[in-house]
Amino acid sequence: MIAIIILSCNKINFSFGINKILDNVSFSIKNTDKTGIVGVNGAGKTTLFKILTSEYTPESGEIYIAKDLNIGYLEQNSGLDENNTLLEEVLTVYSHFIDMEARIKELEKCISTEKNEEVLNAYMKEYSRLSEDFSMLGGFEYNSRAKGVLKGLGFSEEDFDLKVGKLSGGQKTRLSLSKLLLKEPDLLLLDEPTNHLDISAVEWLENFLKEYKKSVMVISHDRFFIDKVADKILEIENRHVKLYNGNYSDYIKQKALDREIQQKHYEQQQKEIAKMEVFIEQQKRWNRERNIIAAESRQKAIDRMEKIEKPEKLPDKIKVKFKSNISSGKDVLFVENLSMEFPGKPLFKDLSFNVRKGEKIFILGANGTGKTTLLKILTGNLKQTSGNFRYGYNVEMSYYDQEQESLDPDNTVLDEVWDASPDILQTEIRNALAIFLFKGEDVFKRISDLSGGEKSRVALIKIMLSGSNLLLLDEPTNHLDINSREVLEESLSDFDGTLIVVSHDRYFINKLATRIIYIENESSILDFNGNYEDFLSYRNRINASNENSENTNKKISSGKLQHLASKEEKARKRRLEKLILNTEKRIFQVESRLDEINKKMQSEEVASDHVKLMELNKEHDELNKELEELYKTWEEASLEASNYSSP
């Protein structure tokens, strides 16, 4: 496909009252681009979409949209007929096929009964033309295509007969997304499309968008998703935009490099200007005619110089540090034959696992498999159907509820946090609130008036101040922008306690997980040591094995799956042990060489040889850098190896 520009913005400006949102924004999108849009909450991402769809009108600037360009934008639950079934509603996208089908059937009846040859010929011609068009346009596939998209986004065949009016808000959003994808617009605008999707549905959507033959612009805080889908990143920061080539990982590297280069160029130019200004002052003091001319000439050179701007200040980040007040025992939690079912709906059965101090366990599985229910049982908010659990010695637990039901809507932010930690001085509470970007009058906002992201930050403050050594977190990254997610990752990575987390954020899971408990269905539960990429690699191999076994009418049992996972774990542990051993050997070699260099540099022979001294000093610096990396590798590998269960 030939790449052509289908949309461009030139010097777009937009404000809400006195609050400037977009300033002098310019960029272009081609028909082959898959563009991820990133920025902190409130940066103007959704505002930009509403400008592109003409819902908002910019104060100034120009927007070019290619002639006849069909733009598709997901608007929440708009235009759904609540009396339709789910399948009937999604098939409204194909009303032209349904009309053609009805006319073809009507013509078949007419042809079978018509006696007049001239009229019959007319019917036959119309029937032939319609049948050919129906086939060429994909009429025979539309029904299966619609069902395929619905299944991909997490609906089962049993859901197809549900009335739209009976669907939850999340199901309606998925239905609207299904309809939009099936319309196949020339430019697809998606605002947080992974909300309300479980991991398998997100993976399906990734593959759909990667194969999509037209242009996509997607706003998302899901870094794993953008990494897979985007080939360009449009960053909105400090009211300005910048377009980067590559996916999210490429963008992070390029942005850091660009800032570093700009900072160096800025500093170099400032030094040059400072020297020129010293020269000008000196010439002015001498105050002769030629000195005045020289000073004026140099001043004109400064004025003509194209000034390099200092890199803009990055948006504020929350600063979080989770630290336990007391240390728990080595055994944190024992879960034995835990089962849970609601009337007519079993969730999980005979779930057993132990948790050891320092583990970072993530509970994964499709929506409806009981992940949140499991956390609520472990926190005492729900009673299990059967089985039991108990906590170990000195365990102090805090729970992050994704629904934020524990927050009192009538409280102010200050009161909500202080009520949870009454022994802490108000000054310390205010400092903690400031760290989480609640400053000045913000601390007196009512909880009921806060956004989803602000409520999340309040809940995180309460957990941070609790000093608990076991954190049970249910979707902690929901409502957080990418900056805040990265800070939370770093903080939880350094946490000296134990984590049990439910999350759909695969980037977050991959960064933190030392162990994954995957609930596939009520009777199939997999306990897996490793991060998300390890788990994904293992699962892909198992799926391939399942496909092969289905060809011979065999199915891999749950016990066999666990055996294979255990085998995989042992192989990874051996690789880690080998890495640790090789790293230790190299550390010994580097440290020995550094000792040699130190001795040589102190010898009289080398001390008088300037060239040799420079060479040894350079090698010394390089080896020290390598040693730092080796220590880091050894620490990470040792920590990961320690998380594997003992044989």
Side-chain angles (χ1 to χ4, degrees), residues 41 228 275 322 358 428 481 535 558 601 634:
N41 288 340
K228 295 285 186 184
K275 286 179 183 177
F322 294 96
E428 292 179 55
D481 57 36
F535 171 73
S558 179
M601 290 172 74
W634 184 88

Side-chain angles (χ1 to χ4, degrees), residues 29-46:
I29 298 296
K30 295 178 181 175
N31 58 332
T32 54
D33 288 344
K34 304 281 197 310
T35 308
I37 302 177
V38 300
V40 298
N41 288 340
K45 303 183 295 294
T46 299

Side-chain angles (χ1 to χ4, degrees), residues 520-551:
E520 187 169 4
N521 54 53
E522 60 171 306
S523 57
S524 181
I525 296 162
L526 180 64
D527 194 342
F528 182 89
N529 278 291
N531 64 11
Y532 183 73
E533 284 184 346
D534 294 332
F535 171 73
L536 196 60
S537 174
Y538 162 75
R539 197 182 67 177
N540 289 340
R541 285 199 297 278
I542 293 303
N543 287 341
S545 298
N546 268 328
E547 286 176 14
N548 293 333
S549 62
E550 282 173 6
N551 293 334

Side-chain angles (χ1 to χ4, degrees), residues 206-269:
E206 280 171 359
N207 291 326
F208 182 96
L209 294 177
K210 280 193 289 186
E211 298 299 321
Y212 195 67
K213 302 300 182 187
K214 299 172 184 179
S215 189
V216 178
M217 294 179 73
V218 56
I219 297 169
S220 182
H221 291 141
D222 187 331
R223 293 153 293 171
F224 213 97
F225 178 76
I226 302 177
D227 237 9
K228 295 285 186 184
V229 172
D231 53 30
K232 283 186 171 60
I233 298 293
L234 184 70
E235 178 193 62
I236 305 181
E237 187 174 275
N238 295 323
R239 303 176 305 282
H240 304 300
V241 304
K242 185 170 182 178
L243 193 62
Y244 293 82
N245 287 319
N247 64 8
Y248 181 78
S249 296
D250 297 327
Y251 146 73
I252 290 295
K253 292 174 188 172
Q254 191 58 50
K255 179 181 180 180
L257 181 61
D258 288 352
R259 284 185 65 85
E260 185 181 342
I261 291 170
Q262 187 180 350
Q263 182 68 32
K264 283 181 180 177
H265 287 174
Y266 168 77
E267 289 171 359
Q268 287 170 356
Q269 189 180 66

